[in-house]
Amino acid sequence: TFPSVMATEDVVEEELINIEEEMIMLSSTEILLKLYVDTHGLGWSENENWLKGEDFCSWEGIECYDETESDKERVGHISAIDLSDNHLVGKFPSQVYMLPFINTITLRDNPDLEMDFTGIENAEYLKVMALSNSYVPSLEGIGGAQQLEYLHLTDCQMEGEIP
């Protein structure tokens, strides 16, 4: 009877892995939907495929890691968000920093988008942010971005000290 018990445990473990992967995907979808709602996605210049199915990798401005990625754990996860010059309005949701492998966030030329860096420490793989001509009132919290290599900020209406 032991082999059948072992087989059952393997099946359960495989199912748990599948459930965890689905939860990550669902979580990423929910985060992107929050971004869409909080920044008035219906008014964006380009919002192709948003709200159409759960394959967020096909949504305008979303780039995902594909099969060519050497770190197979990243495949299917969001690598970059580029919604530049897209008429985003409102406050950027800090939940975006919780996307597991986000590497690049490009939101330049959205002057009615307010950015802050609350929660950026959760984006442990974030290397690039381009936010020029978006509203970035302060750099408070930016130090939490441990891997950030490139931060582009011009015409951001910034006030206060630069850390």
Side-chain angles (χ1 to χ4, degrees):
T1 62
F2 288 155
S4 65
V5 170
M6 291 295 284
T8 304
E9 288 178 19
D10 289 341
V11 169
V12 169
E13 183 176 52
E14 186 176 311
E15 287 299 310
L16 287 174
I17 290 170
N18 290 338
I19 289 169
E20 287 176 1
E21 287 174 359
E22 288 175 17
M23 287 171 52
I24 289 171
M25 294 299 185
L26 181 60
S27 176
S28 295
T29 300
E30 289 175 341
I31 290 168
L32 290 177
L33 291 176
K34 181 159 182 51
L35 172 64
Y36 186 85
V37 169
D38 287 3
T39 61
H40 304 274
L42 286 175
W44 293 356
S45 302
E46 299 289 332
N47 60 11
E48 186 176 342
N49 292 331
W50 282 77
L51 309 180
K52 294 179 183 172
E54 289 190 30
D55 180 17
F56 50 74
C57 297
S58 69
W59 296 0
E60 180 71 34
I62 303 301
E63 185 176 318
C64 294
Y65 295 99
D66 62 21
E67 305 80 37
T68 62
E69 174 62 37
S70 60
D71 181 355
K72 297 303 179 197
E73 185 180 3
R74 295 181 184 209
V75 173
H77 288 280
I78 299 165
S79 62
I81 296 174
D82 184 350
L83 296 171
S84 299
D85 194 20
N86 206 24
H87 300 286
L88 277 69
V89 175
K91 187 167 179 154
F92 180 78
S94 62
Q95 290 85 350
V96 172
Y97 298 130
M98 296 173 68
L99 292 168
F101 298 106
I102 188 76
N103 178 275
T104 303
I105 297 174
T106 306
L107 300 169
R108 62 177 176 69
D109 297 321
N110 286 295
D112 297 317
L113 176 66
E114 181 180 348
M115 293 293 303
D116 78 34
F117 303 106
T118 304
I120 200 167
E121 64 276 2
N122 294 311
E124 59 184 294
Y125 299 99
L126 183 63
K127 292 186 176 188
V128 176
M129 288 189 86
L131 305 174
S132 293
N133 197 30
S134 295
Y135 179 49
V136 183
S138 165
L139 288 177
E140 185 176 336
I142 194 67
Q146 301 292 321
Q147 300 296 318
L148 194 63
E149 296 174 0
Y150 178 86
L151 177 63
H152 194 264
L153 298 168
T154 57
D155 297 322
C156 292
Q157 306 171 44
M158 196 176 312
E159 298 177 4
E161 295 182 25
I162 296 177

